[in-house]
């Protein structure tokens, strides 16, 4: 029997090509807040469904009172926390990494590129990532959000690049990871 892999939110403080260590640390804090406020403890299981079906253990740093005061806006905190979880899922389940923040109006949040440092163009835009967070929602709400975010990515479909849509719900916790294929029907991984 294989051991369940751990998604350590704190590892985001190392940064990614388009995520500074400071921003990574901040979204790790947001994730810790969402999970702690939903009565989870480090080691909680995150179920992943959709394009991938797996389970991860989540790990995070303890939440302090100062952290709670810093992240008092639930909607904003949930959105930032979802980015953190989504970035870790992309890193673990695909060959992509986050290479650039997208501009407003594109219909998605981040550009993805190859994790392979030997790739000819490792920072080439190869796929799109759209992320959404829900603090507490039922299955119908989660599925509706996946559909909404999938539709939202249509604004950039003409580029012909695949898109990942990741919705993270924190009360369960669960993540639905959907993949929208390019016109040729293939998904780069």
């Amino acid at each position: 029997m294989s051991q369940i892999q751990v998604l350590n939110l704190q590892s985001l403080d190392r940064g990614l090509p388009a995520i500074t260590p400071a921003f990574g640390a901040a979204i790790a804090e947001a994730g810790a807040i969402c999970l702690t406020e939903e009565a989870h403890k480090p080691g909680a299981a995150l179920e992943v469904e959709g394009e991938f079906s797996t389970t991860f253990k989540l790990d995070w740093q303890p939440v302090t009172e100062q952290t709670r005061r810093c992240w008092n806006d639930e909607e904003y905190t949930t959105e930032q926390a979802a980015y953190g979880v989504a970035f870790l899922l992309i890193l673990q389940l695909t060959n992509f990494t986050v290479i650039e923040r997208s501009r407003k109006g594109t219909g998605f949040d981040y550009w993805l590129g190859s994790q392979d440092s030997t790739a000819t163009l490792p920072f080439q835009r190869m796929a799109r990532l759209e992320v959404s967070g829900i603090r507490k929602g039922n299955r119908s709400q989660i599925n509706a959000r996946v559909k909404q975010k999938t539709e939202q990515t249509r604004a950039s479909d003409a580029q012909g690049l695949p898109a990942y849509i990741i919705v993270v719900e924190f009360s369960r916790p669960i993540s639905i990871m959907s993949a929208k294929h390019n016109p040729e029907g293939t998904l780069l991984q």
Side-chain angles (χ1 to χ4, degrees):
M1 184 169 180
S2 64
Q3 186 175 356
I4 294 178
Q5 289 185 296
V6 176
L7 291 183
N8 184 343
L9 292 176
Q10 201 58 43
S11 70
L12 291 164
D13 70 3
R14 288 181 245 156
L16 294 169
I19 305 302
T20 64
F23 183 67
I27 61 177
E29 280 185 350
I33 287 288
C34 290
L35 292 160
T36 300
E37 287 184 353
E38 293 303 321
H40 299 294
K41 296 192 179 333
L46 171 70
E47 296 293 327
V48 179
E49 297 178 3
E51 188 74 14
F52 300 93
S53 180
T54 189
T55 302
F56 290 96
K57 280 186 179 178
L58 291 167
D59 194 23
W60 62 90
Q61 296 296 308
V63 170
T64 65
E65 188 56 34
Q66 180 184 32
T67 309
R68 286 183 201 282
R69 288 193 304 269
C70 179
W71 292 97
N72 198 36
D73 179 330
E74 186 175 304
E75 185 179 334
Y76 178 76
T77 303
T78 303
E79 177 186 8
Q80 299 306 302
Y83 287 140
V85 172
F87 296 163
L88 292 173
L89 289 174
I90 287 292
L91 289 170
Q92 288 293 317
L93 297 173
T94 74
N95 291 325
F96 292 128
T97 188
V98 179
I99 62 164
E100 187 177 2
R101 178 80 165 126
S102 178
R103 294 179 189 255
K104 289 246 185 255
T106 59
F108 63 101
D109 296 313
Y110 284 90
W111 287 103
L112 301 176
S114 176
Q115 284 185 41
D116 183 2
S117 61
T118 63
T120 308
L121 297 169
F123 298 116
Q124 182 180 3
R125 296 171 172 175
M126 300 173 79
R128 301 164 288 155
L129 174 63
E130 174 59 22
V131 179
S132 186
I134 300 173
R135 186 69 69 99
K136 196 177 291 195
N138 62 35
R139 178 57 83 161
S140 175
Q141 291 167 315
I142 297 166
N143 290 342
R145 183 73 59 88
V146 170
K147 183 177 180 185
Q148 173 195 358
K149 293 299 180 176
T150 301
E151 288 298 316
Q152 183 178 313
T153 64
R154 278 185 185 229
S156 58
D157 279 354
Q159 297 173 44
L161 296 174
Y164 284 98
I165 295 88
I166 300 178
V167 175
V168 182
E169 195 279 348
F170 288 95
S171 72
R172 296 178 185 237
I174 188 171
S175 180
I176 307 300
M177 195 167 172
S178 175
K180 189 172 175 182
H181 302 274
N182 66 18
E184 290 80 43
T186 60
L187 179 65
L188 305 172
Q189 289 196 22

